Structures are given as C-alpha cells and as structure tokens.
Amino acid sequence: MSSVDTIQEHEATGVSNQKMAMWLFLSSEVVFFAVLISTYLFYKGKFSQGNLSPEELFDIPFTSVSSFILLMSSLTMVLSHNFYEIKNYEKSRIWIFATAFLGILFISGQIYEYTEFIQSGLTISSSIFGTAFYFVTGFHGLHVVIGVILLLTTGSQIGPNKNNRKYGLSIESLALYWHCVDIVWIVIFTVVYLIP
Amino acid sequence: MMFQIKHEDDNSKKYVLIAVFLGVITLIEVALFYSTNFNLPVILIPLSFIKFLVVVGFFMNLQFEKKLLKLFFLLGFVLSIPFILILFLERSVI
C-alpha cells in the first residue's frame, strides 16, 4: 500500500474483490429470503383449528414501531458510512454504535412479540403457519443479531488515534449487509404482517 | 489496481430527508392497513417496492455502482424464480 488513502486490490473488473463478494453474498441472501417468504405465503392459511389467525395474533402498531426502528437504523448506518468517508471517525463510531443500539432494540421487540405469540398458542410446531412464520422472522432476526455483533466489533476498532483507513471497505460492506437486512424486513413487514 | 477511497461531501442532510420519506411511507402503509376502503395488496406492494428501491438506490448506493454489481443483485431475484415455481408446483400437488 503506497498511501494511507488507498487500498490495493487485484482484479480486472474495476470493482474491489471484497465489494464484489459482498454483493454476490447479498444476491444469495435475496434468493434465501425470497424462498422463505414464498413458503410463508403458501402456508399462511394453514393454522390449527382453535388457534388464533394471523390477523388476530399480530399487533400491528407494535410491529410498525419495530419496523420504524429498523428503518431508522439504516439511516444511522448510512450516516456512519458518510462520516467515515469524510474522515470524521468519532462521529462514524457514534453512529455505528447507534445502529447497533437500534438493532438490539429491534431484537428485543421481536423477543417480546415471540413471547406473546407463544403464550397465545402459536409455537414453531403448532401448525405449518407457525413453522413458516418463525422461520421467516427468526432467520431475519438471526441476521440482525449477526449484524449487531459485526457493528459492535467494527465500532470498537475505529475512532480517534486508531488506524482507521484500513476499515474503509469493511464499513462499506457492513453498511451493505445492514441495508440488505433492512430491505428484507421492508418486504416481511408488508407481506407477512400487513397484507391479509 | 489501486482504488481511491472516496472523500465525498457531507451528505447527512440528504440521508435524513430520505429516511423521513421512508418513515412517511411506513406511516401511510399502517394507516391504509386500518382503512377498509382499499384493496391492500394492490396499494401496499407498490409502496413497499418504493421503499425497497429507495434503500437500495440511495442507502446502498446501487444507482451509482458499476453495472456488474447491479447485475449481481438482479441475479438473486432471477435465481429465486425457479425456487418459487417449484414451491408453487409442490403446493399444487399437496
């Protein structure tokens, strides 16, 4: 590396290898969630007799707030990336931790929601609907948890008096991952929760 | 090949405005959910698609990326079609 402001890559595409790998990974995530959401749609009506229907179970105001929190975490993530690019590492770190906080808040909401559903009789084995629902939302939640861990790890590595330049592509990749998690939730919120 | 890390201007205000726009669409979606006068899928799916495009285009900056990366992302949607078709066929057999 000849300068602190450059990152050396070896490829012929004009795109850094890490960035290209990240977009390919996101592409595979699109396939994964598209299939999971489709499965949910196919089995949405197959809940057990005596159990509450999805419309009766879902607490839309609560989930709307959760969705808003995740949407705003995309804003904090893009702000972190923005401040990183203009070399304001302190603000970049603050916004990364804010993103992690919002991610934790979202997961807490999901845990609360699951607790309510289980108390109402909807478990992963109570019906095909339950299995499909917990698979879609659970795998999304798992992605959020992984994202939060990555955010906290990256956030602790940047800041004043640290060698910040080497984390440029990492923060960009992390931002792409987090936004992907957000767009998956945009689809889940509409398809799973809002559409009857 | 060497890549310069971009040193762009502060775009914070632009991103905040985009987030406000996304928040407003979410509010509209929830308001529509409680209204019985609309065919929900017909309205909610395009609204959700707008949110999707805004996040991908502006937050993920795909609109400014190289064509190759756009193709990669599109590939995910194309590849998911046969899987969804298989699911559909399986369901019709059941």
Side-chain angles (χ1 to χ4, degrees):
Chain A
M1 199 173 287
S2 61
S3 156
V4 288
D5 278 10
T6 56
I7 289 173
Q8 194 164 20
E9 296 287 344
H10 303 281
E11 77 299 304
T13 56
V15 181
S16 74
N17 292 335
Q18 188 180 335
K19 196 169 176 177
M20 193 152 67
M22 195 63 205
W23 276 102
L24 269 175
F25 169 70
L26 296 183
S27 188
S28 73
E29 291 284 270
V30 166
V31 179
F32 179 73
F33 278 105
V35 173
L36 274 183
I37 292 168
S38 305
T39 310
Y40 171 83
L41 285 176
F42 288 140
Y43 298 117
K44 192 176 182 178
K46 291 188 181 288
F47 47 89
S48 304
Q49 290 292 323
N51 279 4
L52 294 172
S53 68
E55 286 79 17
E56 292 167 315
L57 266 174
F58 294 157
D59 183 354
I60 298 300
F62 181 81
T63 316
S64 305
V65 173
S66 290
S67 300
F68 187 74
I69 286 169
L70 200 62
L71 210 55
M72 289 307 108
S73 77
S74 253
L75 170 66
T76 54
M77 187 70 242
V78 83
L79 288 176
S80 171
H81 186 213
N82 176 61
F83 283 117
Y84 184 89
E85 286 196 337
I86 58 175
K87 294 184 176 180
N88 191 336
Y89 304 119
E90 183 56 32
K91 279 192 176 177
S92 178
R93 187 174 64 167
I94 290 168
W95 286 116
I96 265 203
F97 284 133
T99 310
F101 173 73
L102 291 174
I104 291 167
L105 217 55
F106 175 83
I107 285 297
S108 307
Q110 200 167 33
I111 291 168
Y112 168 76
E113 189 183 44
Y114 280 5
T115 312
E116 291 286 307
F117 290 168
I118 289 166
Q119 282 173 357
S120 303
L122 181 74
T123 65
I124 198 163
S125 56
S126 64
S127 61
I128 301 178
F129 162 72
T131 309
F133 173 79
Y134 283 112
F135 258 80
V136 174
T137 54
F139 267 112
H140 177 268
L142 182 66
H143 279 73
V144 176
V145 170
I146 292 168
V148 167
I149 293 167
L150 293 172
L151 286 165
L152 292 174
T153 311
T154 311
S156 65
Q157 289 172 333
I158 59 168
N161 308 321
K162 291 185 179 177
N163 181 15
N164 296 292
R165 299 311 309 168
K166 64 177 178 179
Y167 298 113
L169 277 172
S170 302
I171 289 186
E172 188 173 5
S173 298
L174 182 55
L176 286 173
Y177 173 83
W178 194 259
H179 296 315
C180 186
V181 168
D182 185 35
I183 57 171
V184 167
W185 185 256
I186 286 173
V187 177
I188 291 175
F189 178 60
T190 305
V191 172
V192 174
Y193 288 87
L194 292 183
I195 293 178
Chain B
M1 190 179 287
M2 304 291 283
F3 287 89
Q4 291 290 321
I5 292 176
K6 291 171 278 181
H7 299 300
E8 294 173 346
D9 298 328
D10 185 0
N11 291 315
S12 308
K13 283 180 185 169
K14 182 183 92 177
Y15 292 132
V16 170
L17 282 175
I18 292 167
V20 169
F21 174 72
L22 291 169
V24 168
I25 294 186
T26 307
L27 275 176
I28 292 170
E29 284 178 330
V30 177
L32 286 170
F33 175 80
Y34 286 107
S35 168
T36 51
N37 302 325
F38 299 102
N39 185 352
L40 284 178
V42 174
I43 301 171
L44 291 180
I45 290 172
L47 284 176
S48 176
F49 189 62
I50 291 169
K51 281 163 73 180
F52 178 93
L53 288 180
V54 169
V55 174
V56 172
F58 293 98
F59 282 179
M60 294 171 89
N61 275 319
L62 191 61
Q63 59 168 337
F64 304 115
E65 292 292 358
K66 290 189 184 294
K67 205 174 177 181
L68 181 71
L69 296 182
K70 290 176 185 170
L71 284 172
F72 277 171
F73 197 56
L74 194 65
L75 184 72
F77 293 95
V78 175
L79 283 176
S80 56
I81 292 169
F83 289 108
I84 294 167
L85 284 175
I86 291 166
L87 272 173
F88 185 75
L89 290 172
E90 279 285 317
R91 193 199 180 213
S92 62
V93 169
I94 293 169

